[in-house]
Amino acid sequence: MEFKFPRTFGQNEARESLRQTLTQGRFPHALLVHGEPGLGQHALLLDLAQILACESKTERACGKCFPCKAFESASLESVHYLIPLVKKEKAKDSDDEESDLNSAQIEELSGLIKVWHEEPYAFGVEEKAKVHVAQTSELLGRLGYAGDRSKVRIVLIPYLEDLVPAAANKLLKTLEEPAANVYFLIASDNRAALLPTLLSRCLHLGLTPLSSAEFRETAATLSSRIGIPLSVRLLPFAEGSPGVYLDLLNNGGEDLLEESAKFLAAITASDWRVFADYTGQGSAVEDLEESTRLLHFLLRCIRLYQSLKAAHSNLSQALKNEGWDASLSNYLTPLEHIADLPAFATYLQTAFQAIKGYSKPQIALLGLFLEYDAKVHR
Ligand SMILES: [Zn+2]
């Protein structure tokens, strides 16, 4: 039997170990795929679901049998999706009766399933989205249904950390006594946040950043798939994660790069007036959502700078050695002026967290900058 993973880029080690468990007929009831966001967790879950559902005797997934066709159009009934939703349940009529998913939730769910299948590397959910109790109740109802027990049934859980506690408890009970032919294919970006009792019931499979050559090839493929030219400058900031690259490409990564350069130039000028000018000029820090994205990008800049400097003391040479775009040295050079980068990274995180409650975040950020500057230059 040949096993194929057409949606997943790289991850050869993970594929190999999965091939072995499949070949030896010891594929687990619950598999937890974990790693940094965007490494391919969600692509791999879909590949595995199709492999398990496929009825071919020679190669899986064949792409030709009925379950394969139905799965590819996201309409295979034996596959259940537990995806975090933003829409909430209506208030319950009574405490002991659990409400079903409402129509808004069903609509949200089918939209997310569609996005996941269309481009697994672009699939994601909003920060506040949760898997609600009604979703796990519905799942248990379906799994409990006698039906044809010899048929493979699959539960896809892309963000295990997003189950509300009551939903996690319900799931836990099912994982303790899994029904025959039921497979839980689970992913998590944040394994540290999970219940130990849930973790102990899964086989764990870690994904790793793609190698440089694999990553470049993948980035080129993904860029053409979404019809946006490859951005060579953004490549090193993704740290070998195709999903992160795609997110940067799709959501103004080039602008973030320019903005981060402005921010760093202003903050490393060690003159509060320069920084005040920056915060007052329609900069990203006027808007909370934009400033959060800026913060995350700045942290990426710092990590990239640190790894380049660890490889070679000369920034331009380090970029050249790695084969990254040489113009990036202009963007990263301001970091040369910061004596203690880890402390600076911590300051940025604290400052950007602190401005969340302010109606004028740029003024709060300026205050925090003065505080930081005073400490550094004392
Ligand atoms: Zn098939």
Side-chain angles (χ1 to χ4, degrees):
M1 175 77 78
E2 195 193 333
F3 297 104
K4 298 186 297 182
F5 299 86
R7 298 170 182 85
T8 309
F9 293 106
Q11 308 303 341
N12 293 329
E13 266 181 53
R15 291 182 203 217
E16 196 40 51
S17 87
L18 288 167
R19 274 196 193 99
Q20 283 179 20
T21 58
L22 287 160
T23 308
Q24 295 160 5
R26 49 181 183 87
F27 193 82
H29 276 292
L31 175 77
L32 174 68
V33 183
H34 61 93
E36 292 294 315
L39 290 177
Q41 293 85 324
H42 301 131
L44 187 59
L45 291 197
L46 293 189
D47 279 342
L48 280 170
Q50 196 173 344
I51 285 173
L52 293 169
C54 176
E55 288 171 349
S56 164
K57 299 274 181 271
T58 52
E59 55 160 14
R60 291 191 184 181
C62 71
K64 294 170 204 134
C65 67
F66 170 77
C68 272
K69 293 262 185 223
F71 182 75
E72 282 170 1
S73 61
S75 60
L76 186 59
E77 277 206 15
S78 56
V79 177
H80 196 96
Y81 299 81
L82 274 193
I83 304 177
L85 303 175
V86 174
K87 299 263 184 335
K88 294 208 172 68
E89 286 139 60
K90 287 189 203 103
K92 287 181 227 164
D93 292 337
S94 74
D95 278 347
D96 50 11
E97 201 181 326
E98 276 147 359
S99 47
D100 293 332
L101 264 68
N102 59 47
S103 57
Q105 287 179 315
I106 292 168
E107 195 183 322
E108 186 184 359
L109 182 62
S110 62
L112 288 165
I113 293 171
K114 193 162 172 267
V115 172
W116 187 358
H117 276 265
E118 275 173 4
E119 181 49 83
Y121 284 88
F123 171 68
V125 294
E126 285 184 43
E127 210 176 315
K128 61 182 175 188
K130 291 282 171 209
V131 172
H132 304 278
V133 181
Q135 292 174 263
T136 39
S137 300
E138 192 199 14
L139 166 72
L140 298 194
R142 279 177 60 169
L143 293 182
Y145 171 68
D148 184 359
R149 294 281 175 117
S150 66
K151 263 195 178 161
V152 167
R153 287 169 294 169
I154 294 154
V155 184
L156 288 168
I157 309 178
Y159 292 97
L160 185 61
E161 60 271 33
D162 289 340
L163 267 70
V164 299
N169 281 329
K170 269 182 185 286
L171 182 70
L172 191 57
K173 285 189 191 126
T174 329
L175 285 177
E176 271 168 3
E177 295 165 30
N181 293 315
V182 174
Y183 295 98
F184 290 86
L185 302 177
I186 305 169
S188 173
D189 296 346
N190 187 8
R191 203 162 49 134
L194 299 174
L195 291 172
T197 40
L198 275 178
L199 292 175
S200 67
R201 281 176 179 77
C202 303
L203 179 78
H204 296 220
L205 182 72
L207 300 188
T208 50
L210 271 58
S211 72
S212 187
E214 271 174 348
F215 175 69
R216 280 163 209 262
E217 205 186 311
T218 302
T221 307
L222 286 173
S223 303
S224 72
R225 213 144 87 177
I226 61 165
I228 301 180
L230 177 78
S231 165
V232 179
R233 296 199 305 175
L234 290 176
L235 290 176
F237 295 99
E239 298 169 312
S241 168
V244 169
Y245 168 74
L246 200 54
D247 178 55
L248 287 172
L249 192 67
N250 255 335
N251 298 301
E254 290 278 345
D255 294 340
L256 270 174
L257 182 60
E258 299 299 336
E259 189 68 30
S260 69
K262 280 189 216 160
F263 180 92
L264 286 176
I267 205 162
T268 52
S270 288
D271 180 339
W272 71 270
R273 283 160 299 192
V274 174
F275 193 66
D277 264 357
Y278 165 74
T279 59
Q281 287 172 351
S283 61
V285 294
E286 283 179 8
D287 177 88
L288 275 180
E289 203 178 310
E290 272 185 61
S291 65
T292 305
R293 286 186 63 77
L294 176 62
L295 167 67
H296 288 130
F297 196 80
L298 287 166
L299 296 174
R300 289 188 181 282
C301 291
I302 292 172
R303 289 199 296 272
L304 175 62
Y305 175 83
Q306 286 173 318
S307 77
L308 288 168
K309 288 295 266 190
H312 199 287
S313 60
N314 181 294
L315 198 57
S316 303
Q317 192 58 46
L319 283 164
K320 204 176 157 196
N321 291 353
E322 296 291 327
W324 301 129
D325 189 276
S327 74
L328 287 176
S329 76
N330 300 332
Y331 295 85
L332 299 173
T333 300
L335 292 170
E336 305 234 325
H337 304 296
I338 294 166
D340 187 347
L341 269 179
F344 181 64
T346 310
Y347 154 74
L348 287 180
Q349 274 169 315
T350 329
F352 276 87
Q353 279 299 320
I355 62 173
K356 280 192 173 166
Y358 290 87
S359 58
K360 289 194 183 302
Q362 70 271 38
I363 292 175
L365 198 62
L366 182 59
L368 288 159
F369 166 69
L370 291 175
E371 230 174 86
Y372 171 76
D373 200 46
K375 258 188 227 159
V376 172
H377 295 105
R378 188 175 293 157

